[in-house]
Amino acid sequence: MKTIKKLLAVALTLAMVLTIAPAFNAPVKAGDAFTINDIASGVSHTQNPDGTYDVKALKTIAVKLSDLNTKIDNGFKDRYLAGKATVRCDIYKSNGFEGYETTVTPECVGETLKLKVKASYKNKYLCFFIYDPEGGTTNLNSEIFKVVPGEIHIDGGPSFGSIYGTKSFLKKTFTIGLNGYGTYRLNDDPDIYTTYKKIVKLYRNGKLVGTQKTEGSQVVFKNIPVSYGKNDTFKAALFMDIEEVEVPGPTTTFKATSEKVPNIKVFATKISSKKVYLRWQQVGGVSGYYIYMGKKKVKTVGAKTTKKMISKKKAGKSKFRVIPFVKVSGKVYKSNSNNAKPKKNQVKWSRNLNPNAYSYATCKFVVTKISLSGKTYKVTGYAINHRIFDVKKYKSLSMSLKVDGKKAFKKKFKNVKLKIKDDKKKKITFKIKGKAGKDLANGSVYLTVNEDPDWGFKNDTFKN
């Protein structure tokens, strides 16, 4: 990781005028009306020309149950506290109970009903409804209140810390440090509030490439594209999340470019004197690969190719390189690889040949080596007899081999003579015809072996 830009402190704008949405069940139509404007705090007492009263977003409308008790019906307070009556607030898009959106329920704090008016309610209309069947009403509505813009006054906010980017090819992961938290006031409320909710937006050459939210001290943007051969300009913008509003704060810019095309590892297997099977490490994002035999380029393959059979005179004795390259604006950028000398086309396994390492009354056939020449697979292994009796033969011995997920050979032998003493082993070699051109040395090899040994007993169930 390397530092791209260090600590940046920025002051946030004070006294922002903000815009100010909520949710519940379908509304009931307006019925008999009552007024709470005169007993509610947090709302205007001046009527608008459209018959509504103003309430600021980010304000709390508060109504005492004792005042509602006097205005509606003596006994309402007790019925409400007993859960026999309810108060709700419906939210509409327009005046006149039109464009219903949602319903919210005021919180009862002590004996006062409180409704926090969110920023998302801006330019919406609120109306309170009373449901009090024992009091004789199920559809009693208040006057309508219009939500007007509220104000957030910023006293202080977070700032950027250090920014780090990974040393990687074509895509980088950026870790952006954050310092501090936000303090603010709402409307004319003198109380100071605190928020740790932060939002960071990352832009690459003017285009938004990611958004992260946190209450911690950093955000991480993974796998962000970066150009090769030139610097990209990145901008990080920091916001506070206050009352569901994104309050803009500081920004910072930095430059970043891709690391160079990485060198890769190449593996070569000799299939014949004129054929070599190549494999190599894939590099995401390259344009392709150049294949060299000695100093001569013999093939160009695409970005998704990771293996290739090369058929050339003297290929089996040559060395090979595979070079990743990237084309950017007509220019070619490339790296390098090792010089791979072809290996013998064979696979070996290190096996435990001690009979006591295997279950009693078994005679496992343990393969230690397979080689390929043309279409002939030479399979070498050991029959390991772990029993107090001599094993006579394999009544059957089955072997199958897959290379890179595809069939190389499958063979079943019958009546394979063994004559192995108790707790001894015997080396055996088989030649099996199969598919030519398989890469045993560097390919993905999957071998299965099944044997049916015969110790010469007619009924072997109770023999020891």
Side-chain angles (χ1 to χ4, degrees), residues 372 374-377 406-409 432-438:
L372 175 60
K375 294 184 178 181
T376 301
Y377 291 82
K406 295 184 179 181
K407 177 183 174 182
F409 70 74
I432 302 172
K433 292 292 184 182
K435 301 286 186 180
K438 297 298 183 181

Side-chain angles (χ1 to χ4, degrees), residues 96-160:
F97 306 101
E98 296 176 353
Y100 166 79
E101 285 199 349
T102 190
T103 295
V104 290
T105 302
E107 180 186 11
C108 185
V109 181
E111 295 189 354
T112 300
L113 298 179
K114 293 185 176 183
L115 176 68
K116 184 67 175 290
V117 182
K118 296 182 179 180
S120 55
Y121 299 169
K122 188 199 77 165
N123 293 330
K124 307 283 176 67
Y125 295 82
L126 314 180
C127 184
F128 290 86
F129 286 84
I130 302 293
Y131 177 78
D132 182 17
E134 287 190 10
T137 180
T138 59
N139 194 25
L140 186 63
N141 65 275
S142 73
E143 63 270 66
I144 297 177
F145 302 93
K146 182 179 181 180
V147 181
V148 297
E151 294 178 342
I152 296 176
H153 306 273
I154 304 299
D155 291 329
S159 61
F160 284 111

Side-chain angles (χ1 to χ4, degrees), residues 64-344:
K64 293 181 179 179
L65 284 173
S66 57
D67 290 338
L68 274 178
N69 195 68
T70 301
K71 183 174 285 284
I72 297 173
D73 177 88
N74 285 328
F76 171 79
K77 172 183 171 182
D78 292 336
R79 292 193 295 273
Y80 179 90
L81 294 174
K84 297 179 179 180
T86 60
V87 178
R88 77 172 197 269
C89 179
D90 288 352
I91 300 173
Y92 301 87
K93 291 182 179 179
S94 59
N95 193 4
F97 306 101
E98 296 176 353
Y100 166 79
E101 285 199 349
T102 190
T103 295
V104 290
T105 302
E107 180 186 11
C108 185
V109 181
E111 295 189 354
T112 300
L113 298 179
K114 293 185 176 183
L115 176 68
K116 184 67 175 290
V117 182
K118 296 182 179 180
S120 55
Y121 299 169
K122 188 199 77 165
N123 293 330
K124 307 283 176 67
Y125 295 82
L126 314 180
C127 184
F128 290 86
F129 286 84
I130 302 293
Y131 177 78
D132 182 17
E134 287 190 10
T137 180
T138 59
N139 194 25
L140 186 63
N141 65 275
S142 73
E143 63 270 66
I144 297 177
F145 302 93
K146 182 179 181 180
V147 181
V148 297
E151 294 178 342
I152 296 176
H153 306 273
I154 304 299
D155 291 329
S159 61
F160 284 111
S162 299
I163 300 177
Y164 300 93
T166 54
K167 292 184 177 181
S168 48
F169 176 64
L170 292 183
K171 288 186 178 181
K172 287 183 179 289
T173 293
F174 294 106
T175 301
I176 301 178
L178 304 170
N179 299 315
Y181 54 88
T183 54
Y184 61 96
R185 291 168 287 113
L186 301 175
N187 296 311
D188 52 1
D189 184 351
D191 291 338
I192 296 177
Y193 299 92
T194 299
T195 181
Y196 290 88
K197 296 180 179 179
K198 298 174 280 286
I199 303 169
V200 180
K201 297 183 180 183
L202 184 65
Y203 298 82
R204 172 180 177 253
N205 299 329
K207 182 179 179 180
L208 180 66
V209 292
T211 300
Q212 295 287 339
K213 297 181 179 181
T214 187
E215 294 186 28
S217 59
Q218 68 176 31
V219 290
V220 179
F221 293 89
K222 295 182 178 181
N223 298 319
I224 302 300
V226 287
S227 298
Y228 192 92
K230 65 176 182 179
N231 274 320
D232 291 319
T233 299
F234 287 88
K235 182 181 79 171
L238 179 58
F239 300 79
M240 284 187 292
D241 182 348
I242 299 177
E243 306 292 333
E244 300 182 0
V245 175
E246 293 183 5
V247 180
T251 62
T252 184
T253 59
F254 57 90
K255 303 283 187 179
T257 187
S258 171
E259 299 300 311
K260 293 181 179 180
V261 185
N263 294 339
I264 63 172
K265 181 77 172 177
V266 181
F267 306 89
T269 302
K270 181 180 178 180
I271 304 300
S272 70
S273 61
K274 296 181 180 180
K275 289 186 177 182
V276 170
Y277 205 105
L278 298 179
R279 298 171 185 267
W280 56 88
Q281 296 170 309
Q282 188 176 29
V283 180
V286 297
S287 302
Y289 303 89
Y290 298 135
I291 299 176
Y292 286 81
M293 191 172 93
K295 296 182 179 181
K296 183 179 180 181
K297 183 167 67 175
V298 294
K299 283 281 184 182
T300 300
V301 296
K304 295 182 179 180
T305 304
T306 57
K307 53 190 176 183
K308 192 72 176 176
M309 181 79 81
I310 303 298
S311 299
K312 293 284 184 182
K313 188 177 180 180
K314 297 182 180 180
K317 294 183 178 180
S318 300
K319 292 183 179 180
F320 293 84
R321 289 183 301 144
V322 178
I323 310 300
F325 69 92
V326 176
K327 287 184 178 179
V328 180
S329 301
K331 294 183 178 180
V332 175
Y333 301 88
K334 59 184 180 180
S335 61
N336 210 336
S337 79
N338 59 306
N339 279 300
K341 185 178 180 179
K343 295 172 60 177
K344 290 182 180 180

